[in-house]
């Protein structure tokens, strides 16, 4: 009888769960995840807002004390948000499902088959549109009348049952939103093993082959041997593991910065609306209604009742330049990033003027970002192998680190498609 090879996947987010699901069966898969089981944040937000005046909310990094699945890293300019726990950042996503493989197609990568499979596995619809709140409908009309061609954004999940509660980034209390725990459940149901609370520190490499992972379980160190290792610790997590393993990567970090332009409009109730119901696409950025919880709790300019704030997000495709290492994150916004943000702010103000809000009554949020990637970008050379030459032959990456540039758009579907392909390549090469 031939022995089944052992594969270890690091991370259980979009890339990790998808690749684990692809590999299980052909390999004996273990998923190593730093975080624990995901639990949504359940407190009443309007009631919690009463504490704002107490001065208890002074730094965004506190969030993880109340809500361990959300982690924050800060640079001087940007608050970086990511998920930690089963499902990674997908559990705190807003569920947007858009195919964005243009930059990969330009490298000669065709992911049609993978996207077709995703279409069969994940329910995707814009059903939420039927129950938008009046303020959302009005914003959509204003954008349409300005010739901005807004479109309702498709979402992953069963949106006919969406309660429009506005808690998407805190974990959906109604089980409407799809997240990558479903791929994880499918893999574990077929025998994959999930190790929670285990932080991978480095890959142990000998004679050009990845032999094992070094992990930390609390204070204990452990070594996990494997025939195949796939890193999917996210755009900020994977580079750190590469660095500790002595593998070079590129300083091409992008993060897709987000800035909200807000104003007071009584009774808008956009804090109780689905996040990002529709989108307006512009050259290099998008605009979408978004009640920014981080700004609401931590930015003094947002000291108004949640239900009275109307807010539009600008999400930018930023210059892919920056880095993360054990010394911290180096990421600044360049003049072209600021210029696009300014363009976005002007357009948001024009949209809000359609609600009768003068420009001088608008206020800005805190710049934050949640789509990191780009530090081990694919090139034409790797368009078939999906394997970077800096990596040992049996070590792969399956997350946003592989993107050649920022998508400036929600990346989950494209990360899943890439991870599925990495899984297929690994099956064909090793299983
Ligand atoms: C608030 C917010 C809303 C978003 N909304 C959307 C959206 O609507 N649609 C969309 O397409 N995208 C959205 N995104 C982005 C999307 O969620 C991420 O880009 C995507 O989940 C990244 O997938 P990943 O597999 O690369 O990493 P992640 O999903 O971040 O998963 C990485 C996993 O690896 C684990 N890990 C990290 N380091 C280690 C280590 N050393 N050892 C073990 N485990 C480790 C982490 O705990 C995590 O679980 C959003 C992001 C944020 C922050
Ligand atoms: S608005 Fe509420 S019910 Fe709808 S997907 Fe978001 S969290 Fe779930």
């Amino acid at each position: 009888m031939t022995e089944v090879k052992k594969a270890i996947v690091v991370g259980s987010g979009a890339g990790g769960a998808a690749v684990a699901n692809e590999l299980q069966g052909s390999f004996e898969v273990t998923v190593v995840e730093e975080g624990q089981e995901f639990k949504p944040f359940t407190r009443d937000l309007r009631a919690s807002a009463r504490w704002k005046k107490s001065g208890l909310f002074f730094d965004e990094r506190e969030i993880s004390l109340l809500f361990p699945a959300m982690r924050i890293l800060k640079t001087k300019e940007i608050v970086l948000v990511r998920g930690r726990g089963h499902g990674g950042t997908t559990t705190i996503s807003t569920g947007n499902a858009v195919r964005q493989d243009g930059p990969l197609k330009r490298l000669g990568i065709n992911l049609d088959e993978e996207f077709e499979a995703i279409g069969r596995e994940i329910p995707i619809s814009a059903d939420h549109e039927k129950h938008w709140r009046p303020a959302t409908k009005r914003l959509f009309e204003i954008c349409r009348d300005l010739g901005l061609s807004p479109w309702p954004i498709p979402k992953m999940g069963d949106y006919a049952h969406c309660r429009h509660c506005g808690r998407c980034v805190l974990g959906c209390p109604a089980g409407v939103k799809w997240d990558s725990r479903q791929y994880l459940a499918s893999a574990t149901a077929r025998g994959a093993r999930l190790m929670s609370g285990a932080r991978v520190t480095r890959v142990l490499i000998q004679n050009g082959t990845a032999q094992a992972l070094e992990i930390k379980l609390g204070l204990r160190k452990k070594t996990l041997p494997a025939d195949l290792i796939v890193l999917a610790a996210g755009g900020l997590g994977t580079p750190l593991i590469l660095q500790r393993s002595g593998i070079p990567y590129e300083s091409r970090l992008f993060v897709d910065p987000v800035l909200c332009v807000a104003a007071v409009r009584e009774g808008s109730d956009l804090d109780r609306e689905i996040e990002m119901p529709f989108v307006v696409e512009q050259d290099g950025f998008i605009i979408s209604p978004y009640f920014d919880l981080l700004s609401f709790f931590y930015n003094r300019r947002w000291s108004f009742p949640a239900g009275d704030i109307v807010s539009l997000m600008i999400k930018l495709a930023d210059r892919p330049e920056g880095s993360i290492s054990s010394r911290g994150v180096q990421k600044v916004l360049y003049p072209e990033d600021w210029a696009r943000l300014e363009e976005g702010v002007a357009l948001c103000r024009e949209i809000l003027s359609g609600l009768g809000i003068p420009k001088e009554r608008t206020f800005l949020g805190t710049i934050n970002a949640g789509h990191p990637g780009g530090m081990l970008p694919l090139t034409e050379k790797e368009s078939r192998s999906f394997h970077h030459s800096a990596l040992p032959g049996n070590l792969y990456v399956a997350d946003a680190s592989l993107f050649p540039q920022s998508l400036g758009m929600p990346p989950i579907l494209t990360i899943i498609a890439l991870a599925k392909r990495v899984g297929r390549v690994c099956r064909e090469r090793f299983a």
Side-chain angles (χ1 to χ4, degrees):
M1 206 171 74
T2 47
E3 203 184 325
V4 182
K5 291 188 172 162
K6 288 187 171 44
I8 304 184
V9 174
V10 182
S12 64
V19 78
N21 195 33
E22 288 299 312
L23 294 176
Q24 179 57 33
S26 306
F27 293 83
E28 238 172 54
V29 172
T30 302
V31 179
V32 182
E33 168 54 58
E34 184 178 19
Q36 303 287 350
E37 193 183 328
F38 175 76
K39 292 197 177 74
F41 183 78
T42 48
R43 287 180 201 212
D44 183 309
L45 291 176
R46 288 193 182 175
S48 307
R50 285 191 216 118
W51 293 92
K52 280 206 312 181
K53 284 198 186 113
S54 69
L56 279 176
F57 299 109
F58 56 88
D59 188 308
E60 293 84 354
R61 283 170 286 205
E62 298 166 357
I63 281 253
S64 50
L65 297 174
L66 294 168
F67 183 37
M70 188 180 274
R71 314 301 280 197
I72 305 281
L73 271 174
K74 278 172 90 167
T75 69
K76 269 193 189 143
E77 288 173 340
I78 311 173
V79 174
L80 297 166
V81 187
R82 61 189 165 146
R84 186 167 85 166
H86 300 180
T89 314
T90 65
T91 53
I92 59 165
S93 86
T94 56
N96 300 323
V98 283
R99 176 176 177 167
Q100 287 295 318
D101 57 336
L104 296 168
K105 273 189 185 153
R106 288 194 281 282
L107 300 178
I109 296 171
N110 180 337
L111 294 173
D112 285 352
E113 264 182 53
E114 284 73 14
F115 281 108
E116 275 163 31
I118 290 171
R120 291 189 296 273
E121 292 160 358
I122 305 179
I124 296 175
S125 80
D127 283 349
H128 54 85
E129 186 190 355
K130 293 177 204 138
H131 304 289
W132 285 352
R133 292 190 186 277
T136 308
K137 288 184 189 155
R138 185 69 198 112
L139 284 167
F140 188 87
E141 284 162 9
I142 294 168
C143 292
R144 194 191 52 205
D145 295 347
L146 286 170
L148 297 171
S149 311
W151 44 276
I153 195 157
K155 305 258 180 192
M156 295 170 274
D158 177 15
Y159 280 84
H161 297 105
C162 173
R163 296 178 193 162
H164 293 252
C165 67
R167 304 183 68 97
C168 313
V169 302
L170 300 172
C172 179
V176 164
K177 206 176 60 165
W178 183 96
D179 62 60
S180 67
R181 285 177 299 168
Q182 303 215 12
Y183 277 149
L184 203 56
S186 154
T188 50
R190 289 179 292 115
R193 181 172 163 232
L194 172 60
M195 268 182 99
S196 308
R199 186 165 69 87
V200 172
T201 44
R202 61 187 172 129
V203 184
L204 302 172
I205 302 165
Q206 225 174 34
N207 303 326
T209 303
Q211 305 283 348
L213 282 174
E214 180 185 87
I215 62 166
K216 265 193 168 175
L217 279 159
L219 294 175
R220 271 184 308 136
K221 258 191 196 170
K222 212 174 154 183
T223 302
L224 294 181
D227 300 298
L228 169 72
I229 296 174
V230 184
L231 301 180
L236 297 173
T238 291
L240 286 177
I241 299 172
L242 294 176
Q243 185 208 8
R244 290 192 215 101
S245 314
I247 298 169
Y249 49 71
E250 296 182 37
S251 297
R252 289 179 56 84
L253 178 68
F254 58 75
V255 294
D256 289 5
V258 164
L259 174 64
C260 286
V261 183
V264 171
R265 183 177 179 266
E266 272 177 38
S268 291
D269 283 340
L270 286 186
D271 64 325
R272 293 194 173 158
E273 173 60 293
I274 188 170
E275 301 268 39
M276 299 186 71
F278 68 82
V279 70
V280 161
E281 275 185 272
Q282 296 288 289
D283 188 19
F285 65 90
I286 58 170
I287 288 179
S288 181
Y290 184 72
F291 185 83
D292 183 1
L293 282 166
L294 279 181
S295 294
F296 177 67
F297 279 103
Y298 293 99
N299 188 320
R300 297 223 169 119
R301 289 188 290 260
W302 288 53
S303 52
F304 301 99
D308 293 344
I309 294 178
V310 55
S311 161
L312 295 171
M313 133 199 302
I314 305 153
K315 192 191 290 281
L316 205 67
D318 53 325
R319 178 157 139 186
E321 213 168 307
S323 188
I324 180 164
S325 68
S326 41
R327 280 177 292 142
V329 192
Q330 292 80 46
K331 178 74 197 169
V332 295
L333 295 177
Y334 288 89
E336 67 261 38
D337 300 325
W338 285 113
R340 279 203 195 124
L341 276 182
E342 276 167 29
E343 207 186 311
V345 169
L347 187 52
C348 287
R349 285 180 171 150
E350 195 180 342
I351 298 167
L352 292 175
S353 74
L355 292 175
I357 298 165
K359 176 179 148 188
E360 52 289 356
R361 301 275 296 277
T362 60
F363 49 92
L364 301 182
T366 306
I367 298 180
N368 59 84
H371 299 176
M375 292 190 62
L376 203 71
L378 288 170
T379 63
E380 268 176 50
K381 215 169 69 186
E382 293 103 28
S383 62
R384 293 178 76 83
S385 67
F386 288 74
H387 184 266
H388 204 281
S389 55
L391 302 171
N394 62 336
L395 176 64
Y396 280 74
V397 168
D399 61 28
S401 309
L402 296 178
F403 286 160
Q405 66 185 70
S406 155
L407 308 180
M409 280 293 243
I412 289 177
L413 279 197
T414 314
I415 296 173
I416 292 176
L418 256 184
K420 277 177 167 289
R421 177 62 65 86
V422 170
R424 186 169 114 191
V425 168
C426 291
R427 272 199 322 260
E428 287 167 5
R429 254 195 87 190
F430 299 98

